[in-house]
Amino acid sequence: MTISVGDKLPTATFKEKTADGPVEVTTDELFKGKRVVLFAVPGAFTPTCSLNHLPGYLENRDAILARGVDDIAVVAVNDLHVMGAWATSSGGMGKIHFLSDWNAAFTKALGMDIDLSAGTLGIRSKRYSMLVEDGVVKALNVEETPGQATVSGAATMLEQL
């Protein structure tokens, strides 16, 4: 079953590489009592993710936070080292969370997993964005067209805040 507006997020533990080293981040730590924008990408360093989706959120970070959002996070089915390298190379380290869903447990629990084995990527996440308030999904935007980041992009999220 795919997560929907009004649903509570499943419990999960992510890994994140910070300036102080690797840490575990739980869904409770990230979402409890907070208003958070979460967006997902099929893979760090992939063209649409690196050239379109992530830059939109980094460029609009201050505008998003100014609308009452406590935090912004990106999640991908990549290991924490890849996510950490992406955070560093994109200039996003310390600005937003780069969450590793290394085993796709969170992605699968959301019903947002997609098998991209034909393209050699394996199990990955669909591209989406959501507004989460106290662990409950308030807005959900799922891309239906591969290689696009419009429905789930920062501009759409800003309109929803």
Side-chain angles (χ1 to χ4, degrees):
M1 184 173 94
T2 302
I3 193 127
S4 300
V5 171
D7 290 348
K8 184 167 177 45
L9 289 179
T11 300
T13 301
F14 305 101
K15 299 205 184 278
E16 181 177 18
K17 199 162 195 179
T18 69
D20 297 325
V23 297
E24 289 190 346
V25 180
T26 67
T27 46
D28 274 353
E29 292 169 330
L30 189 60
F31 299 107
K32 189 173 184 177
K34 298 177 187 171
R35 191 171 189 227
V36 179
V37 168
L38 174 68
F39 67 103
V41 297
F45 292 108
T46 58
T48 302
C49 305
S50 291
L51 300 175
N52 185 346
H53 210 188
L54 175 62
Y57 281 96
L58 291 175
E59 291 163 8
N60 288 287
R61 176 185 175 270
D62 292 342
I64 291 169
L65 296 177
R67 295 195 183 176
V69 170
D70 297 301
D71 225 334
I72 303 168
V74 58
V75 62
V77 181
N78 286 115
D79 68 61
L80 85 134
H81 302 291
V82 169
M83 293 301 284
W86 198 34
T88 300
S89 71
S90 68
M93 178 73 78
K95 295 179 182 174
I96 68 173
H97 292 277
F98 285 76
L99 304 174
S100 166
D101 183 20
W102 75 98
N103 61 359
F106 179 73
T107 299
K108 289 177 181 178
L110 291 178
M112 289 291 185
D113 53 305
I114 185 169
D115 187 350
L116 299 176
S117 296
T120 69
L121 293 176
I123 301 299
R124 295 299 176 123
S125 176
K126 293 179 182 178
R127 186 182 309 281
Y128 65 86
S129 66
M130 62 173 69
L131 175 62
V132 181
E133 293 181 8
D134 196 24
V136 176
V137 179
K138 296 296 182 178
L140 177 62
N141 313 295
V142 182
E143 294 290 344
E144 297 298 331
T145 306
Q148 297 292 312
T150 51
V151 171
S152 63
T156 299
M157 184 54 67
L158 275 167
E159 291 173 7
Q160 295 173 327
L161 296 174

